[in-house]
Amino acid sequence: MGTTTAPDVTVIIGAYEAMPYLIRCLESVEAQTLPAGRMEIVAVDDGSTDGTGEYLEEFAARTAIEMRVVRQENSGGPSGPRNVGLGLARGRYVFFLDADDYFGEEALERMVAMGDRAGTDVVLGKVVGVNRGAPKSMWGRTEERVDVHRSKVIYTLSAQKLFRRELLERIGLRFDEGLETGEDALFTMEAYLRGAGVSVIADYTCYHLVGRDDGKHATKRGSYTLRFDAMEAMMALIHRLEPAGSKRDSLMVRPFTVGMLQQFGPGLLKQSADEQRHKMELAAPLMRSYWTNGVARRIKVAERLRLACVAHGRLDLLVDVLTFLRAKKVPDLVRSDRGDKLFLAYPHFRDGAAGLPDADYQVTVPDWHGADRVMRPKAAAKAARQQSSTTRRAARWLRRSARGWRARLSVG
């Protein structure tokens, strides 16, 4: 018999061929410090043939947690099962738990408490990788509310987060079943931008992201054409939800650096000429629509230059830049005549025949010249002034302290 009051959180598990990883996954839900009566599980077996569905039903029959199991024909991806689970959820919050992964014991209790305390609609719990990599840049400190445009949370857009269900229902947010890859990033970015804030828990490992020994992990799905579809969807979403300006530019850095750049790295040199040209053709409309100076100036030179070559439709120049990077060469550091600008002279810098403007080579954010950190001159000057001011304050403090000690010694 079901409970009459809504649980705090619904754990939604979409499962396909998930054995034996599913065993630890479900054990981690049962081991939560959040009481069993304050949560529920909705598990969707997406046409498994390895005993996944049977194990879900067996677990549901013996757990103290309210649990519903749905068994359906294979849908071809994670979006369908997640949407089915979301449609059945009753919790104030939902968490999308992948059947390969598992929770830290205090994860749900900490995340629900954070969402309630901060009044935010999305809570990120620290993620660590098990037999695989995991995002790290956003776990610097625990924060009740972060600025999505300035923080690193846009670099973790997987679905494994706590979402307030009222937000999802109010805006009708669901996973796009038409996308074969990147659907979780689209869902999470929209929740970030349309919700009432984002919280980060960085001082406790809430989620263990497991790399399967058999290599059957969802992130491996999709050809490069599907990746371009995902990029286009993300760029269009940001443009639809964020007005033109610096905030939009800061968000647009994400699909260009985590997306477009991956298609035009040194690995491109090993691909066939037809594939190289096809990628340039797929990228062209996205570059025309979404690549702006505001976005470009927020990206380091070596990365920006690759994207600029794509934007100019110059595969020949891109190949030269990638060859230079693959050889691990260090470009010359060039200062403008007035000394107010720095440039990294990668291939075709000030090459009139190439037609790439100096702006494509200009240092506009902290960058690297070999092993040395470089900054744009104004920023470097500001940092130097701040360092000088700090040094002067320290010297004054030492002088005052010395005078105080001398005075006390003379009295003694």
Side-chain angles (χ1 to χ4, degrees):
M1 181 177 295
T3 57
T4 55
T5 58
D8 284 337
V9 59
T10 301
V11 179
I12 297 173
I13 304 173
Y16 175 67
E17 305 290 327
M19 297 298 287
Y21 303 92
L22 180 62
I23 297 172
R24 185 167 192 176
C25 172
L26 290 172
E27 287 175 347
S28 79
V29 182
E30 204 165 37
Q32 289 300 292
T33 54
L34 189 73
R38 291 177 56 188
M39 57 180 163
E40 68 173 1
I41 302 172
V42 177
V44 181
D45 171 35
D46 199 34
S48 301
T49 60
D50 67 343
T52 289
E54 290 78 6
Y55 188 79
L56 287 172
E57 291 178 341
E58 175 193 328
F59 185 87
R62 58 181 165 82
T63 184
I65 304 169
E66 186 77 13
M67 181 169 178
R68 179 165 181 177
V69 177
V70 177
R71 301 185 69 175
Q72 64 181 35
E73 293 295 317
N74 182 256
S75 66
S79 292
R82 286 172 177 167
N83 285 340
V84 170
L86 190 49
L88 297 172
R90 299 182 304 114
R92 294 189 298 117
Y93 297 94
V94 297
F95 192 102
F96 299 100
L97 172 62
D98 279 4
D100 305 333
D101 304 331
Y102 59 95
F103 284 129
E105 289 187 0
E106 300 174 22
L108 292 179
E109 184 176 14
R110 285 174 178 256
M111 287 189 284
V112 168
M114 173 64 89
D116 286 348
R117 182 170 67 251
T120 47
D121 283 343
V122 187
V123 180
L124 283 63
K126 185 178 180 179
V127 176
V128 299
V130 180
N131 195 32
R132 61 170 294 180
K136 296 179 180 179
S137 63
M138 62 294 305
W139 310 123
R141 62 180 180 178
T142 294
E143 295 185 79
E144 289 196 359
R145 190 173 292 268
V146 300
D147 182 342
V148 172
H149 305 89
R150 294 178 179 272
S151 78
K152 299 293 186 181
V153 297
I154 61 171
Y155 294 99
T156 173
L157 295 180
S158 62
Q160 294 85 31
K161 296 165 179 61
L162 192 77
F163 297 91
R164 192 179 297 272
R165 191 166 66 87
E166 186 276 331
L167 166 71
L168 307 183
E169 296 305 322
R170 174 166 49 82
I171 67 177
L173 186 54
R174 294 294 188 270
F175 292 91
D176 185 344
E177 296 181 37
L179 278 180
E180 295 190 45
T181 188
E183 69 289 328
D184 50 349
L186 206 64
F187 180 97
T188 303
M189 181 66 89
E190 184 162 356
Y192 282 177
L193 297 181
R194 299 185 69 183
V198 178
S199 300
V200 174
I201 295 174
D203 57 350
Y204 179 81
T205 298
C206 292
Y207 197 86
H208 299 267
L209 190 67
V210 177
R212 293 177 61 134
D213 294 329
D214 58 13
K216 295 179 181 177
H217 197 273
T219 55
K220 297 184 182 296
R221 294 180 295 112
S223 71
Y224 70 83
T225 57
L226 300 179
R227 304 285 179 185
F228 279 96
D229 290 341
M231 278 183 259
E232 182 175 17
M234 177 61 72
M235 292 173 182
L237 175 76
I238 293 171
H239 266 237
R240 176 168 60 86
L241 296 181
E242 195 69 60
S246 61
K247 288 185 176 181
R248 178 195 282 179
D249 292 340
S250 65
L251 295 176
M252 288 299 294
V253 169
R254 202 273 183 189
F256 279 110
T257 57
V258 183
M260 189 70 76
L261 272 178
Q262 279 63 48
Q263 301 305 319
F264 297 103
L268 188 78
L269 298 173
K270 301 177 183 178
Q271 295 164 6
S272 69
D274 285 345
E275 187 168 325
Q276 291 175 351
R277 285 193 296 269
H278 188 214
K279 285 188 173 183
M280 293 291 285
E281 291 168 2
L282 291 171
L286 303 185
M287 302 306 290
R288 284 196 300 270
S289 297
Y290 302 115
W291 180 246
T292 66
N293 289 335
V295 176
R297 290 183 64 82
R298 286 170 164 76
I299 299 175
K300 294 174 185 176
V301 175
E303 297 176 342
R304 181 203 308 144
L305 184 58
R306 285 153 55 191
L307 294 169
C309 290
V310 176
H312 292 300
R314 295 297 301 270
L315 179 59
D316 56 335
L317 305 185
L318 176 62
V319 167
D320 290 344
V321 173
L322 292 176
T323 301
F324 185 93
L325 293 172
R326 187 176 61 178
K328 300 187 184 303
K329 295 181 180 179
V330 177
D332 291 336
L333 185 63
V334 178
R335 187 176 293 271
S336 64
D337 292 340
R338 295 176 57 185
D340 59 340
K341 296 176 182 178
L342 285 177
F343 304 94
L344 291 173
Y346 285 97
H348 301 291
F349 177 61
R350 292 181 176 167
D351 174 357
L356 294 175
D358 283 4
D360 289 340
Y361 297 83
Q362 185 181 347
V363 175
T364 55
V365 294
D367 213 320
W368 291 97
H369 179 241
D372 298 324
R373 194 71 160 155
V374 293
M375 301 170 67
R376 54 193 176 91
K378 287 184 179 179
K382 181 179 179 181
R385 288 196 299 273
Q386 291 173 339
Q387 178 64 37
S388 177
S389 176
T390 301
T391 302
R392 287 196 300 272
R393 286 197 299 272
R396 286 197 297 270
W397 181 84
L398 287 171
R399 287 195 295 271
R400 287 196 300 270
S401 298
R403 285 197 297 269
W405 279 108
R406 286 196 295 270
R408 283 192 287 275
L409 287 171
S410 63
V411 170

